[in-house]
Amino acid sequence: MEQDPGFIAALEEAKQGASEGGVPIGACLVSRDGKILGRGHNMRVQKGSPVLHAEMSALENSGRLPASAYEGATMYTTLSPCDMCTGACILYKIKRVVIGENENFVGGEELLLNKGKQVVNLDNQECKDLMAKFMKEKPELWNEDISV
Amino acid sequence: MEQDPGFIAALEEAKQGASEGGVPIGACLVSRDGKILGRGHNMRVQKGSPVLHAEMSALENSGRLPASAYEGATMYTTLSPCDMCTGACILYKIKRVVIGENENFVGGEELLLNKGKQVVNLDNQECKDLMAKFMKEKPELWNEDISV
């Protein structure tokens, strides 16, 4: 699953976010039949946005879609999704959430499971290293992003 | 509480959304000491955005803030918040959610209560009329907005 185009795109987005001096989290929304609907990364720094977490950027970049487009879809994200992004996946009835890692942060995985979603943790070393470096170098930015 | 500046602003935003041909839901985020941090309305039609529900617009328009700015804050919204907006209120540790009505739609109120938030339903007739009219006139747009 680490070779899925959706995960590769999410990781590319996370690295792009890092290269821009932002929060290095990326995401990619993939339809049931494997088409990338949208991809994006956290835009807190780049757009001064408190709502454009990676998963939200991927949804935003997917544009307006009917409910049918999200049926059976997978959200790939490099980090366990926060409560906001968890809620967005529930609203849009996304079937599966594939997470790069949850060692550096655990979000709403339990709620996703309770809502009948599939949750897969890839425990990916590259995702872990990217977040650990960021959290060490910019703790204030990370705290702002998850509001602690 | 219907005379709170935050609720008045949220209702103004909902009407503005209606006048723009959009989803007529408005919201306003107010700090503990009564300052309006941000206000906004649903931007699905206006910006082609699947993430800018009213509450999300209010958060977005509040800009980047430290966690302390949200402490004790109230989110006023003209309609019961969907799962995404519920999650956003949880992420940002907003203390109280004041809802114009929940007759036309019931969102994540139970989760908010479970998370220790105060939830107040104003059962406001103007909010109810605005939504009922919209849902009757543009059912496809409404279904798209809540992904059914």
Side-chain angles (χ1 to χ4, degrees):
Chain A
M1 209 171 286
E2 284 176 297
Q3 296 311 312
D4 285 3
F7 179 69
I8 291 169
L11 188 51
E12 283 173 358
E13 289 288 337
K15 290 177 189 171
Q16 179 66 28
S19 77
E20 294 165 359
V23 179
I25 306 174
C28 182
L29 180 63
V30 176
S31 72
R32 177 181 33 193
D33 57 356
K35 186 186 159 208
I36 289 181
L37 298 172
R39 52 188 280 179
H41 52 273
N42 185 300
M43 300 299 277
R44 177 171 294 270
V45 169
Q46 296 90 327
K47 289 193 177 172
S49 173
V51 308
L52 289 176
H53 276 193
E55 299 89 331
M56 307 298 283
S57 285
L59 284 165
E60 184 74 347
N61 293 336
S62 302
R64 283 178 59 181
L65 296 170
S68 58
Y70 300 101
E71 271 172 26
T74 296
M75 178 67 82
Y76 293 86
T77 174
T78 55
L79 183 68
S80 183
C82 81
D83 290 311
M84 173 173 68
C85 298
T86 294
C89 289
I90 294 168
L91 169 66
Y92 286 113
K93 301 187 179 71
I94 289 164
K95 185 182 177 184
R96 188 171 65 150
V97 181
V98 177
I99 297 168
E101 62 115 346
N102 68 2
E103 199 174 87
N104 287 299
F105 175 77
V106 179
E109 294 170 40
E110 195 178 322
L111 183 59
L112 287 170
L113 291 169
N114 289 342
K115 293 280 184 181
K117 311 297 180 193
Q118 294 174 31
V119 178
V120 179
N121 176 16
L122 298 180
D123 195 37
N124 178 276
Q125 193 61 45
E126 212 169 347
C127 292
K128 286 194 270 191
D129 292 347
L130 206 54
M131 271 310 290
K133 181 172 185 287
F134 165 69
M135 290 164 73
K136 189 175 174 190
E137 289 177 356
K138 300 180 182 173
E140 300 81 5
L141 178 56
W142 173 235
N143 286 343
E144 184 192 306
D145 200 53
I146 50 165
S147 205
V148 295
Chain B
M1 211 173 283
E2 284 176 296
Q3 297 313 312
D4 286 2
F7 180 68
I8 291 169
L11 188 50
E12 283 172 358
E13 289 287 339
K15 291 177 187 170
Q16 180 66 28
S19 77
E20 293 165 359
V23 180
I25 306 173
C28 182
L29 181 63
V30 176
S31 72
R32 176 180 34 194
D33 57 356
K35 185 184 160 209
I36 290 182
L37 298 172
R39 51 187 282 179
H41 52 275
N42 185 300
M43 299 299 277
R44 179 171 294 270
V45 169
Q46 298 90 326
K47 288 192 176 172
S49 173
V51 308
L52 289 176
H53 276 192
E55 300 88 332
M56 307 299 283
S57 286
L59 284 165
E60 183 73 345
N61 294 335
S62 301
R64 284 178 57 181
L65 296 171
S68 57
Y70 300 100
E71 271 171 27
T74 296
M75 178 67 82
Y76 293 86
T77 173
T78 56
L79 183 68
S80 182
C82 81
D83 290 312
M84 173 174 68
C85 298
T86 294
C89 289
I90 294 168
L91 169 66
Y92 286 113
K93 301 186 180 73
I94 288 163
K95 185 182 177 185
R96 189 171 64 148
V97 181
V98 177
I99 298 168
E101 61 115 347
N102 68 2
E103 200 174 86
N104 288 298
F105 176 77
V106 180
E109 294 169 41
E110 195 178 322
L111 182 59
L112 288 170
L113 291 169
N114 288 342
K115 293 281 185 180
K117 311 298 179 193
Q118 295 172 30
V119 178
V120 179
N121 176 17
L122 298 179
D123 196 37
N124 178 274
Q125 193 60 47
E126 213 169 346
C127 292
K128 285 194 270 191
D129 292 346
L130 205 54
M131 271 311 288
K133 181 172 185 286
F134 165 69
M135 289 164 74
K136 191 177 173 188
E137 288 177 356
K138 300 181 181 174
E140 300 81 7
L141 178 55
W142 172 235
N143 286 342
E144 186 192 305
D145 201 53
I146 50 165
S147 204
V148 294

